[in-house]
Amino acid sequence: MATATAGSPSASAQVASPVESSPGDQANFDSSPVGGLPEEPVKSSVSPQPSPSRREPSGAQPSPAPPADISVDLNGNDPTPPTSPGGNNQPMSPARSTYSHGTHGASFSRDPPPQGIMARTMAQLSAATNRMVHKVQAHRAKAAARKQGGKLLLQQLQDESGAKDPSLVPGIMITPPPDPRYVAPTLAQTLKYKIFGAPGPIDPATGKVEIPDPVAAKASTWYKVKGSRRRTSQQMAVKLGKALKHHDEDFELLWAGVQRQELLLNKIKTDGKRLAAAIQEQADAAKTMASHIASLAETSIELGEGPEADARRAVVERARQLMEVMDVMDQDVRPACLEHLNNSVNKPVGQLCEEFPTYQQCVDKRTHYMLDMDAYERKLQKARQVAKDPAKVPHREEQFTKAQRRYTYFSDKLVEDLTLLDANRYELAGFLIEGFVEMQEFQSHRQTDVLAGLAQGKLPPKQ
């Protein structure tokens, strides 16, 4: 490196190394280009010096002012480098200096920036909303699964009882046209026959109108509309007192028992979750309480000799035993009790609640069949009283007979299934009773075995 002589004109304007007597320190602060190239003179003798880590090229803007721990000489001398914290006047290296030029040597934190109150609130609201959405989706999925199970159960019950047999469906029967010898055709009947067509010919042997396609007739929209209108009319007649409501107290009691069984299973499931949470909470509270009690015996001073010191040491040892027992209770007894409760009660009950048969749609269908039967019976009574056409009474009788047979077959099959389901609750109750008792005994025995260690070495009672 080229050095300037003392008498040269550029010696006063040229920046000298901070400490000329220390080659190591000069190497730390002097970062002139390699190869001994001369340094450019500084534009102003009172301008602050550049960062020790590099030099400013000729014509560049002056560097920002150094921090307060670097002193600047107005005569143009070098800034005094910061000393070490020990006060030995040793210059600090650039890595230890608190001043950096631009982004050179700056430290960056990889931690995320702190969130404000609004950001934290929005994050909590978003998390709560997601949890609520997941709960709603799970509830809807469960409801859809139960509804689908009810549909399958209804189809199975209808197939077994023969309720879908066209010979038992009164609603698809075609009313024979009125006999003009007894009843003159009305304007409404004439318009109906002109729009929808007249009914087919009457079979001389049976006196009925043949149904072209019973399956298609039953699946038509018009069949469903007529059925809904017929049941609504029957319900209105019952409310107005024009018809009597069909009561079946035995079935109502049976269905109430099945509903109560499902309700109790759901309550047992909820109680099982509460019991598991209570066991967890009780164990946590017991361990915390024991820890606070044992903390009373902690001491940082050396216990001396004598009876009083021996008594204190016995208390300290007793506190240590208590914490060991509570650790075993927390790590061994509590998980084992929770697992036993889950296997003996909670898990079987949860599975029973999920797989409990959904007979509600079957009961609703039975109610529809009962309303149809009552409606056709009312129409039959009316036909017997006011009908002028003698062929109308046999038609109503056949409709009522089909509705009555369909209701009877379906109701008998449904009652049979519900009776078996209701009788199953005694076996189920016995299973859950034994499982609950075994869990209580298991918890009591495990706690007794662990606490047996504390039975020895009890402290003598205070005199």
Side-chain angles (χ1 to χ4, degrees):
M1 179 183 298
T3 57
T5 59
S8 62
S10 61
S12 61
Q14 189 173 2
V15 179
S17 59
V19 182
E20 297 180 358
S21 60
S22 176
D25 292 336
Q26 183 176 1
N28 288 334
F29 286 92
D30 189 3
S31 58
S32 59
V34 180
L37 297 178
E39 299 172 350
E40 295 293 337
V42 183
K43 292 296 183 179
S44 175
S45 60
V46 297
S47 62
Q49 297 301 322
S51 172
S53 60
R54 64 183 180 90
R55 294 187 182 272
E56 295 289 346
S58 177
Q61 296 295 331
S63 301
D69 57 353
I70 300 180
S71 60
V72 179
D73 191 353
L74 297 179
N75 295 327
N77 297 330
D78 296 278
T80 303
T83 59
S84 61
N88 52 3
N89 296 328
Q90 293 295 332
M92 295 178 63
S93 63
R96 296 175 58 188
S97 177
T98 59
Y99 173 71
S100 61
H101 178 71
T103 60
H104 184 77
S107 61
F108 298 95
S109 175
R110 296 184 179 273
D111 298 334
Q115 294 182 350
I117 298 178
M118 183 60 68
R120 290 196 301 269
T121 303
M122 293 301 297
Q124 294 175 357
L125 290 177
S126 178
T129 303
N130 292 335
R131 289 194 298 268
M132 183 62 66
V133 169
H134 292 162
K135 289 183 179 180
V136 171
Q137 291 178 350
H139 179 73
R140 288 181 177 178
K142 183 178 179 181
R146 287 181 59 84
K147 185 177 180 181
Q148 183 65 23
K151 287 183 178 180
L152 296 176
L153 187 60
L154 175 60
Q155 292 177 3
Q156 180 181 359
L157 199 62
Q158 287 178 327
D159 294 338
E160 293 178 357
S161 63
K164 288 186 176 182
D165 190 353
S167 63
L168 297 179
V169 181
I172 62 175
M173 293 181 60
I174 300 177
T175 305
D179 192 346
R181 295 177 299 175
Y182 303 99
V183 179
T186 61
L187 179 60
Q189 290 176 346
T190 305
L191 293 176
K192 176 182 176 181
Y193 294 158
K194 184 171 289 187
I195 296 174
F196 299 102
I202 300 177
D203 188 358
T206 60
K208 305 175 184 177
V209 179
E210 183 180 359
I211 304 173
D213 190 355
V215 178
K218 187 178 182 301
S220 63
T221 305
W222 178 242
Y223 170 81
K224 298 178 182 179
V225 172
K226 287 195 305 180
S228 178
R229 185 180 62 181
R230 180 174 57 252
R231 293 160 192 149
T232 303
S233 300
Q234 179 64 22
Q235 290 175 345
M236 292 298 297
V238 171
K239 290 182 179 180
L240 295 176
K242 297 181 180 180
L244 297 178
K245 185 177 181 181
H246 185 86
H247 288 282
D248 191 350
E249 296 181 358
D250 294 337
F251 179 82
E252 292 175 358
L253 291 175
L254 177 61
W255 176 235
V258 172
Q259 288 182 310
R260 181 172 176 269
Q261 179 181 350
E262 184 178 9
L263 178 63
L264 289 176
L265 286 176
N266 287 306
K267 287 186 176 181
I268 294 173
K269 178 181 177 181
T270 304
D271 294 338
K273 293 181 179 180
R274 289 176 52 199
L275 179 59
I279 293 176
Q280 181 82 19
E281 184 178 359
Q282 186 266 345
D284 293 340
K287 185 177 181 181
T288 303
M289 184 177 181
S291 176
H292 293 162
I293 294 175
S295 298
L296 293 175
E298 293 181 356
T299 179
S300 58
I301 61 177
E302 182 69 21
L303 297 177
E305 299 294 338
E308 183 177 359
D310 294 340
R312 291 180 179 180
R313 274 190 288 268
V315 173
V316 172
E317 178 63 21
R318 190 66 172 169
R320 185 189 63 79
Q321 294 179 358
L322 175 62
M323 292 308 302
E324 289 180 354
V325 169
M326 296 310 299
D327 290 339
V328 174
M329 296 281 288
D330 181 66
Q331 299 175 7
D332 183 19
V333 177
R334 179 177 63 178
C337 293
L338 291 177
E339 183 179 2
H340 200 281
L341 173 63
N342 183 58
N343 295 334
S344 60
V345 179
N346 289 356
K347 189 175 180 180
V349 170
Q351 187 175 0
L352 288 172
C353 291
E354 293 180 358
E355 298 178 355
F356 196 85
T358 309
Y359 278 100
Q360 183 62 51
Q361 297 186 26
C362 298
V363 174
D364 294 341
K365 182 61 67 174
R366 179 184 180 274
T367 303
H368 290 171
Y369 290 164
M370 182 183 65
L371 290 174
D372 289 340
M373 181 184 65
D374 293 343
Y376 285 119
E377 183 180 11
R378 182 168 57 89
K379 290 182 179 182
L380 174 60
Q381 294 175 356
K382 183 178 179 181
R384 288 174 177 175
Q385 294 174 359
V386 301
K388 298 180 180 180
D389 189 356
K392 195 169 186 179
V393 175
H395 175 73
R396 294 301 185 189
E397 288 179 349
E398 185 176 1
Q399 284 183 326
F400 171 69
T401 302
K402 288 185 176 182
Q404 189 179 29
R405 291 171 57 193
R406 181 179 65 174
Y407 167 76
T408 302
Y409 294 162
F410 186 83
S411 179
D412 291 346
K413 185 61 180 177
L414 178 60
V415 169
E416 181 182 351
D417 289 359
L418 293 180
T419 303
L420 293 176
L421 181 61
D422 183 65
N424 189 40
R425 59 190 172 95
Y426 296 99
E427 181 180 357
L428 178 61
F431 170 76
L432 294 179
I433 288 173
E434 297 302 327
F436 183 76
V437 171
E438 288 179 3
M439 186 276 301
Q440 295 290 342
E441 292 178 349
F442 177 81
Q443 182 179 10
S444 177
H445 292 164
R446 292 300 297 270
Q447 289 179 350
T448 303
D449 294 341
V450 174
L451 293 175
L454 291 176
Q456 301 176 359
K458 288 186 178 181
L459 299 176
K462 188 176 181 180
Q463 300 296 333

